[in-house]
């Protein structure tokens, strides 16, 4: 099992959105501007090409283009974890090698989707990616979309390899998260996936979080993490509740990613519409989303000192 890597990778990671032009093609300049937006927000890094990044809806070449733009803009400033999971092992290995060539810090992958794979098939799929590069590998467990839930037996087998350094736990069970952390040990990374239970995940052993809604309120998740680290759990619970109110409102739109992209657009960060079949927001949603944006900005202002490392908030 890998050692000494928790401090390098722990923290808050934005699950980066896709960046398209007005014709729906991956846009390098918009991708760069989006990545740059997060440099000064206090986050540890970016998770590129995952669920929030619509990687499964993009071609291999589009995923490469998106990563290249991100690396050109923020390499060395943020830690970059690249999701390389694809339906075919061949594509996943190609994406893995490309991530290493670009200078990414780690790779990560879901199991192949659509087909219900056996543990042996999933292990073989992941192992091909692990063996194709010298990069650390982070398992991505999201059973509600893949239909595959990582067993402790397979986790233990995979984690025995030096290059397998952690798991992104996006399943809804904090019990499973705690079990993964206990099985992996102190130097095995566990990232909390469900944004709405970040605090619960941290309490049960997660070393940080990777999330999609972080993209419109990174400062709040950084503040939440700092409150937890300082043992101010009641204040952290109050902030998690506030964040969850924002998440509930975001989930009220045709697609979460469409709502988040529109909020960033209001802040001058264009990233295009989500790719169909993910739906964009409609004109009648613009006003309530503008109100939500203002409420988020107000909360960010209230917790700014905490996010920056100060001892209290307004």
């Amino acid at each position: 099992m890998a050692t000494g890597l928790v401090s390098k990778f722990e923290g808050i990671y934005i699950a980066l959105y896709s960046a398209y032009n007005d014709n729906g093609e991956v846009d390098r300049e918009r991708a760069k501007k989006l990545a740059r937006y997060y440099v000064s927000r206090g986050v540890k890094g970016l998770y590129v090409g995952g669920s929030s990044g619509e990687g499964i809806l993009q071609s291999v070449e589009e995923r490469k283009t998106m990563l290249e733009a991100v690396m050109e803009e923020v390499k060395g400033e943020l830690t970059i974890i690249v999701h390389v999971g694809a339906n075919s092992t061949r594509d996943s290995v190609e994406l893995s090698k490309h991530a290493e060539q670009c200078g990414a810090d780690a790779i990560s992958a879901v199991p192949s989707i659509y087909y219900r794979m056996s543990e042996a098939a999933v292990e073989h799929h992941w192992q091909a990616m692990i063996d194709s590069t010298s990069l650390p590998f982070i398992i991505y467990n999201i059973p509600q979309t893949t239909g595959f839930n990582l067993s402790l037996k397979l986790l233990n087998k995979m984690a025995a390899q030096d290059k397998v350094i952690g798991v992104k736990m996006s399943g809804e069970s904090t019990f499973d998260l705690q079990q993964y952390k206990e099985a992996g040990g102190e130097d095995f990374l566990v990232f909390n996936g469900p944004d709405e239970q970040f605090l619960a995940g941290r309490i049960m052993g997660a070393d940080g979080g990777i999330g999609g809604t972080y993209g419109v309120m990174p400062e709040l998740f950084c503040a939440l993490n700092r409150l937890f680290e300082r043992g101010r759990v009641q204040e952290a619970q109050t902030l998690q509740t506030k964040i969850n109110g924002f998440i509930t409102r975001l989930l009220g739109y045709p697609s979460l990613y469409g709502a988040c992209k529109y909020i960033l657009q209001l802040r001058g960060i264009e990233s295009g519409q989500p790719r169909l079949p993910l739906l964009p927001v409609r004109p009648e949603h613009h006003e309530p989303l503008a109100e939500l944006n203002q409420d988020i900005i107000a909360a960010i202002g209230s917790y700014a000192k905490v996010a920056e490392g100060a001892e209290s908030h307004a």
Side-chain angles (χ1 to χ4, degrees):
M1 187 178 299
T3 59
L5 287 172
V6 170
S7 61
K8 177 180 177 180
F9 284 96
E10 66 185 350
I12 300 295
Y13 287 77
I14 305 292
L16 192 69
Y17 308 130
S18 56
Y20 303 122
N21 63 23
D22 293 342
N23 294 319
E25 304 297 329
V26 173
D27 189 308
R28 283 180 177 267
E29 294 309 311
R30 285 184 173 182
K32 288 180 179 182
K33 187 174 181 180
L34 180 62
R36 174 56 53 187
Y37 177 72
Y38 296 116
V39 169
S40 62
R41 266 44 188 196
V43 301
K44 185 63 170 283
L46 304 176
Y47 189 88
V48 181
S51 303
S52 300
E54 304 174 33
I56 297 298
L57 300 179
Q58 296 174 348
S59 70
V60 168
E61 290 307 313
E62 287 178 314
R63 292 172 73 170
K64 288 181 178 180
T65 298
M66 185 71 190
L67 176 60
E68 288 166 5
V70 170
M71 296 303 292
E72 288 169 12
E73 185 67 24
V74 300
K75 181 180 178 180
E77 297 182 79
L78 296 175
T79 301
I80 306 298
I81 303 172
V82 186
H83 176 252
V84 297
N87 271 343
S88 77
T89 303
R90 181 191 296 262
D91 288 348
S92 298
V93 167
E94 183 177 346
L95 288 165
S96 299
K97 292 179 178 178
H98 177 259
E100 183 171 40
Q101 291 165 2
C102 288
D105 295 284
I107 55 174
S108 178
V110 294
S112 178
I113 62 171
Y114 182 73
Y115 296 105
R116 289 297 179 255
M117 296 293 181
S118 66
E119 269 200 0
V122 171
E123 180 185 355
H124 187 274
H125 184 59
W126 281 337
Q127 194 64 50
M129 299 172 227
I130 294 165
D131 292 342
S132 70
T133 80
S134 62
L135 292 176
F137 183 82
I138 297 166
I139 295 167
Y140 185 178
N141 189 52
I142 182 166
Q144 60 268 42
T145 61
T146 64
F148 181 88
N149 194 31
L150 179 66
S151 71
L152 286 175
K153 179 182 178 181
L154 181 56
L155 173 70
N156 285 324
K157 189 174 182 180
M158 302 296 293
Q161 304 178 66
D162 286 343
K163 284 194 285 185
V164 180
I165 65 168
V167 58
K168 179 182 186 294
M169 174 50 176
S170 291
E172 297 173 351
S173 170
T174 53
F175 171 71
D176 284 350
L177 183 152
Q178 177 267 322
Q179 293 286 288
Y180 293 160
K181 183 64 178 179
E182 184 174 353
E186 184 179 350
D187 293 319
F188 186 77
L189 286 156
V190 176
F191 291 102
N192 182 81
D195 303 4
E196 67 279 5
Q197 58 188 46
F198 174 83
L199 178 59
R202 286 290 270 140
I203 289 171
M204 297 308 292
D207 302 288
I210 301 170
T213 64
Y214 296 14
V216 294
M217 45 185 154
E219 299 92 341
L220 293 184
F221 279 94
C222 287
L224 180 56
N225 195 46
R226 287 186 182 278
L227 287 171
F228 170 76
E229 290 176 337
R230 292 170 182 164
R232 294 158 61 179
V233 177
Q234 285 189 324
E235 291 174 79
Q237 183 181 8
T238 297
L239 178 52
Q240 180 76 77
T241 300
K242 181 178 286 291
I243 286 170
N244 287 359
F246 296 146
I247 292 174
T248 298
R249 290 164 70 180
L250 286 167
L251 291 172
Y253 296 95
S255 80
L256 171 64
Y257 308 130
C260 290
K261 282 169 169 278
Y262 184 74
I263 284 176
L264 288 181
Q265 180 183 331
L266 293 173
R267 300 177 190 174
I269 309 297
E270 295 281 356
S271 59
Q273 301 287 3
R275 178 162 289 178
L276 294 171
L278 297 175
L279 295 173
V281 296
R282 298 189 294 268
E284 60 265 31
H285 301 141
H286 292 178
E287 184 175 344
L289 277 170
E291 293 175 358
L292 174 55
N293 180 47
Q294 289 303 313
D295 290 344
I296 292 173
I297 289 173
I300 289 171
S302 177
Y303 282 89
K305 291 183 179 179
V306 177
E308 293 168 0
E311 287 301 314
S312 62
H313 71 273

